[in-house]
Amino acid sequence: MPDTGGQKMQQLFKNKNLQADFERYGYVVVPFLSGKEVAELKDFFHETHPEIPNGFYSSSFNEDSKHKEKINQKVESLLGNKVESKFTEVKKLGSCFLNKQPGPESEMPIHQDWTVVDENRFASVTIWIPLQDVGEKNGAIQVIDGSHKFSDALRSPSLTDPFNNIRDVIRKDLKLLPMKAGEAFIFNQALLHASPPNLSESPRLAVTYGLIHADADLRFYHGVEDGKVEQYAVDTNFFQEYNTQIGERPKNGKLIDTFKYDRKPLTLEAYRTKKIAFMQEERAENFKMKPLFKDVEKQQFFENEGYAVFPLIDQNEVDDLKRYYENLNLKDENGFGFHVSMDQKDKDMCRSIREKIWGTVVPALENHLKDFKPYVSSFVIKESNPKGVVPAHQDWSFVDKEEEGYCSITCWVALVDTTLDNGCMGVIKGSHRFMEYNRPSPSPQTPVPLSDHMFSIFPYLKTIEMKAGEVLMFDNRTFHASPPNTTDGIRLAAGVGVTQKDAQLVHYYLKPDGKNDTLLKYKVDEDFFLKYENARLAKMYENGELIEGYGEPKEVPYDCPQFTSDELVEMIKSAGNEYNVPMTEKLAKLFSQQEKQQEQKEEEEKTVEHEEKPKEQEEYVWIDDRSFFQKYTPLNIAREIKKKLVS
């Protein structure tokens, strides 16, 4: 059996940063060859390959050993010194050319390369260098970050591919690596990688160079009958020779062990667990936040969990804000039951509300926060409505450079005691670290990662019951939602958005061209959010209009992360969130009652409609072209959540 001692990985790169990235992601991409060297290798390839087979071709499969040795010598003459300058002492395993002729048959499926070393201590490495610029059209490399750690199964032509059963499912996780000619993709041979077909009009040519650490012993594994595996000690010339005998028992090499081996493939569940663990580790490692809290422990809790709750304003301040709200006589202008005052059409009123709430809440926040500024404020109202669910969502990106530690935070101040009965807030703790992307307007036109999974997430909400005057502060990346208000009164809160004092306020607006792949990034000020609420932005988007008054926007790609419901739930549970039994039991009972009443009403309406329908009227096919909010009425939302709660 291979060694499973779990010893420390031997360092290959002289540069410690490259070594760290190689160990974390399974690869690095670095400059390697000059333009002159690229041209020299291309000319050499065409000189030695007057005829090139269609599809994918590797010179390592050529049966002429002298031909392969000639290639090794040429590549070594150009790459040898560069390898020695970047790596510690290594054993060199030879080189080859890889060519993709134009055509769909040149696709390379997801795979790993063979196990040839003890991978608990060493990595076997391929340096892959394109000899022309590569992208999606001509078959650039695709990878799944961190996948070199997803399975410890042995790999060889005679052993079952551990990912064989799930290869088609995991294709969506592949990431394309566009590269310039002469750059090097240096990867661990255990990494899952692939490449799309070359659909350009020219060949896609690359050169490869294999190596292992000088202390590593080369091994080859061959599967035989009765679930056994033979282990061979081989030399550095073995792989140049064996490529013409693939699948056979090796003719060269020394048999040193035969052992029983369980060849069970990796399950999709196990793959997802590995992938999500890698993603969460990476996000935790890379997550940054410029401190805002004066209290170090509170800052640490907020960074870890994505929220914090504590007392903020006293009862007199609560009563003053409530009286102010009551005198406004605000209307639910969109008719959703849940509404915010900043959506009111009277923008002078919105400005007055902002100043009033700021005047009360911001001085109180100064006792807890440092170097911050407010940028928006609003009353948040949830009317009495047993169907009024607010599904799980994230809020807009309000500030630039979140990846550098800037963040936007909602300070949600309860003005009445909030409970499960009147629709208290709920959060998915740690979800601010799940994904990194720019969160644009408008809704519902913009596709977002939670669009298809809002109801899968809901049962895992951590519902937070609060006393009037307490504040729930949450990162706007944190998943949050709320159950319906089933009491006779409103659930009232005052919301204030805050960020670091030196943060640049921005707004991302989905470019209204119907492609869903580009955002327009505007630098904005606090008054932007008085002028442009979501309803107005949604209408503008439908009309193909752009935001005015904030200069020329910068176009940035919109990379919307995509997950299955199972993957999101796995991420949620891995972050320590638990199934909320009290909430789900209450909602399941509530929604069952509502659905029964609605079904009875609908049946009565169908009976009346049938009686009134003329006999000669023809049947027609209904095309569902309703908007999001027409489809997801409060009742439909309730039904969707009920399905998830009881399934």
Side-chain angles (χ1 to χ4, degrees):
M1 276 291 290
D3 182 11
T4 56
Q7 300 177 54
K8 181 176 174 59
M9 178 73 69
Q10 292 294 314
Q11 184 163 329
L12 265 171
F13 291 86
K14 292 181 178 179
N15 183 298
K16 291 183 179 179
N17 291 331
L18 287 179
Q19 179 71 26
D21 285 346
F22 180 81
E23 290 183 13
R24 176 179 292 279
Y25 299 104
Y27 69 94
V28 294
V29 176
V30 296
F32 213 86
L33 294 179
S34 68
K36 181 180 179 181
E37 291 165 333
V38 166
E40 187 173 342
L41 282 172
K42 288 181 75 172
D43 289 343
F44 176 79
F45 173 79
H46 290 294
E47 288 170 8
T48 54
H49 295 81
E51 295 183 5
I52 306 173
N54 287 330
F56 177 81
Y57 165 77
S58 170
S59 64
S60 65
F61 295 111
N62 194 305
E63 295 185 0
D64 185 346
S65 58
K66 292 182 178 179
H67 175 82
K68 288 189 284 191
E69 182 57 31
K70 186 176 181 181
I71 291 173
N72 281 336
Q73 291 175 357
K74 179 63 176 180
V75 175
E76 178 66 24
S77 70
L78 292 176
L79 272 69
N81 290 338
K82 297 176 186 291
V83 168
E84 291 165 8
S85 69
K86 290 186 180 296
F87 293 91
T88 58
E89 292 187 26
V90 298
K91 293 176 184 175
K92 300 174 180 180
L93 306 183
S95 303
C96 73
F97 284 108
L98 303 177
N99 187 72
K100 283 190 176 208
Q101 289 295 93
E105 66 275 11
S106 63
E107 179 179 9
M108 180 60 66
I110 300 176
H111 66 284
Q112 300 167 288
D113 295 336
W114 304 338
T115 306
V116 299
V117 294
D118 171 12
E119 292 184 343
N120 290 286
R121 297 181 57 210
F122 303 101
S124 53
V125 176
T126 296
I127 304 173
W128 185 95
I129 305 172
L131 302 183
Q132 66 286 299
D133 294 353
V134 288
E136 184 172 15
K137 188 174 182 180
N138 67 344
I141 290 289
Q142 299 166 307
V143 298
I144 297 179
D145 287 357
S147 57
H148 61 303
K149 297 181 180 180
F150 288 5
S151 171
D152 59 1
L154 296 174
R155 308 177 305 278
S156 84
S158 57
L159 294 175
T160 302
D161 178 354
F163 294 89
N164 186 55
N165 292 349
I166 60 174
R167 185 185 289 119
D168 292 341
V169 180
I170 66 178
R171 280 202 64 83
K172 65 179 180 57
D173 296 333
L174 287 170
K175 179 174 79 174
L176 191 79
L177 299 180
M179 294 171 59
K180 296 292 186 181
E183 288 187 308
F185 164 60
I186 305 173
F187 68 97
N188 186 318
Q189 291 177 357
L191 183 76
L192 285 165
H193 58 289
S195 60
N198 176 11
L199 300 181
S200 71
E201 297 179 354
S202 303
R204 189 227 67 181
L205 180 62
V207 65
T208 69
Y209 191 108
L211 59 89
I212 60 173
H213 193 279
D215 293 340
D217 295 321
L218 268 176
R219 297 290 182 258
F220 180 76
Y221 297 90
H222 179 69
V224 293
E225 64 281 350
D226 299 326
K228 294 182 179 179
V229 171
E230 296 175 340
Q231 183 185 32
Y232 291 83
V234 297
D235 61 28
T236 55
N237 293 322
F238 173 83
F239 301 101
Q240 294 284 327
E241 300 167 358
Y242 185 74
N243 278 341
T244 60
Q245 311 162 20
I246 286 180
E248 301 175 8
R249 178 179 269 113
K251 298 175 182 177
N252 300 322
K254 179 182 178 182
L255 178 64
I256 58 175
D257 194 11
T258 301
F259 52 88
K260 294 283 288 185
Y261 181 66
D262 186 352
R263 309 181 192 185
K264 289 182 181 179
L266 196 72
T267 65
L268 184 58
E269 291 72 22
Y271 167 81
R272 284 174 175 155
T273 299
K274 295 281 189 180
K275 173 192 168 189
I276 288 163
F278 167 77
M279 290 172 55
Q280 292 181 324
E281 179 183 339
E282 181 190 14
R283 289 288 288 137
E285 184 78 18
N286 296 331
F287 182 82
K288 299 176 183 177
M289 178 180 171
K290 297 188 65 158
L292 275 173
F293 291 90
K294 292 180 178 179
D295 185 285
V296 175
E297 291 185 3
K298 197 172 290 182
Q299 175 70 36
Q300 188 62 53
F301 183 89
F302 188 89
E303 288 186 24
N304 290 338
E305 306 295 327
Y307 77 96
V309 181
F310 50 90
L312 186 68
I313 61 176
D314 62 31
Q315 190 60 50
N316 289 333
E317 292 167 320
V318 168
D319 292 341
D320 181 54
L321 286 176
K322 286 174 67 176
R323 283 192 296 269
Y324 179 79
Y325 164 79
E326 289 163 358
N327 289 331
L328 294 172
N329 294 315
L330 297 181
K331 304 297 182 185
D332 179 9
E333 294 186 342
N334 293 316
F336 300 140
F338 170 80
H339 55 109
V340 293
S341 63
M342 64 187 292
D343 286 347
Q344 294 290 309
K345 294 176 182 176
D346 184 343
K347 297 308 179 184
D348 289 334
M349 177 193 291
C350 293
R351 185 182 299 275
S352 297
I353 293 172
R354 183 183 74 177
E355 300 308 317
K356 175 64 177 178
I357 295 177
W358 279 1
T360 301
V361 174
V362 172
L365 288 171
E366 289 173 350
N367 295 322
H368 303 273
L369 305 182
K370 60 183 180 181
D371 300 328
F372 76 100
K373 64 182 178 184
Y375 58 85
V376 71
S377 188
S378 182
F379 283 112
V380 185
I381 307 102
K382 177 169 262 196
E383 306 282 357
S384 175
N385 183 343
K387 303 171 186 175
V389 175
V390 176
H393 63 285
Q394 297 170 289
D395 292 337
W396 292 342
S397 295
F398 287 93
V399 296
D400 198 12
K401 299 181 180 178
E402 285 185 331
E403 72 281 0
E404 295 182 14
Y406 291 97
C407 65
S408 56
I409 295 172
T410 294
C411 304
W412 194 92
V413 185
L415 299 181
V416 297
D417 292 353
T418 63
T419 65
L420 189 57
D421 289 335
N422 69 353
C424 62
M425 288 285 287
V427 300
I428 298 294
K429 61 183 183 180
S431 54
H432 61 309
R433 298 185 182 210
F434 286 179
M435 55 192 77
E436 186 174 298
Y437 73 109
N438 298 315
R439 304 175 304 285
S441 72
S443 177
Q445 290 86 348
T446 304
V448 295
L450 306 189
S451 292
D452 298 326
H453 315 298
M454 293 182 285
F455 312 114
S456 300
I457 295 168
F458 206 89
Y460 294 91
L461 282 178
K462 177 181 175 62
T463 45
I464 302 173
E465 298 194 339
M466 298 168 59
K467 294 294 184 182
E470 289 187 313
V471 62
L472 164 65
M473 294 184 62
F474 61 89
D475 190 307
N476 286 331
R477 292 168 287 193
T478 300
F479 302 176
H480 55 286
S482 62
N485 178 2
T486 59
T487 67
D488 294 332
I490 66 167
R491 189 212 66 184
L492 181 64
V496 174
V498 300
T499 184
Q500 287 85 1
K501 185 174 288 186
D502 61 339
Q504 171 64 58
L505 294 174
V506 296
H507 184 77
Y508 294 94
Y509 176 63
L510 185 66
K511 187 176 182 179
D513 59 3
K515 296 181 180 179
N516 294 341
D517 61 2
T518 304
L519 302 182
L520 302 178
K521 177 182 176 182
Y522 294 86
K523 291 185 177 181
V524 302
D525 54 19
E526 294 85 351
D527 284 350
F528 172 88
F529 305 107
L530 295 176
K531 300 172 187 175
Y532 291 99
E533 79 284 352
N534 186 71
R536 180 181 178 186
L537 291 165
K539 186 175 181 180
M540 289 169 53
Y541 180 88
E542 294 295 341
N543 294 331
E545 299 173 5
L546 303 182
I547 292 170
E548 296 181 350
Y550 287 90
E552 192 72 21
K554 178 181 179 181
E555 291 196 359
V556 296
Y558 183 41
D559 298 317
C560 177
Q562 295 183 353
F563 301 94
T564 66
S565 290
D566 288 340
E567 288 170 340
L568 272 177
V569 169
E570 179 66 29
M571 292 167 69
I572 287 167
K573 292 194 291 187
S574 296
N577 296 279
E578 298 179 350
Y579 197 89
N580 190 330
V581 175
M583 180 192 72
T584 54
E585 289 181 346
K586 175 182 173 64
L587 294 183
K589 182 178 179 181
L590 174 66
F591 296 155
S592 293
Q593 293 171 348
Q594 294 172 11
E595 189 171 21
K596 186 175 181 180
Q597 293 170 356
Q598 182 66 20
E599 287 174 351
Q600 183 177 355
K601 181 180 177 182
E602 290 174 355
E603 189 62 35
E604 292 171 354
E605 290 174 349
K606 282 181 183 178
T607 301
V608 172
E609 181 182 356
H610 178 73
E611 291 174 351
E612 295 177 351
K613 180 179 176 181
K615 291 184 179 180
E616 66 273 16
Q617 184 174 340
E618 295 182 359
E619 295 290 342
Y620 66 93
V621 177
W622 179 52
I623 299 174
D624 190 355
D625 58 357
R626 298 172 297 166
S627 70
F628 175 90
F629 287 111
Q630 287 171 320
K631 294 177 185 177
Y632 287 102
T633 62
L635 180 65
N636 288 339
I637 289 174
R639 284 175 171 168
E640 288 291 335
I641 292 178
K642 175 176 174 285
K643 287 181 185 178
K644 298 296 181 182
L645 297 180
V646 300
S647 61

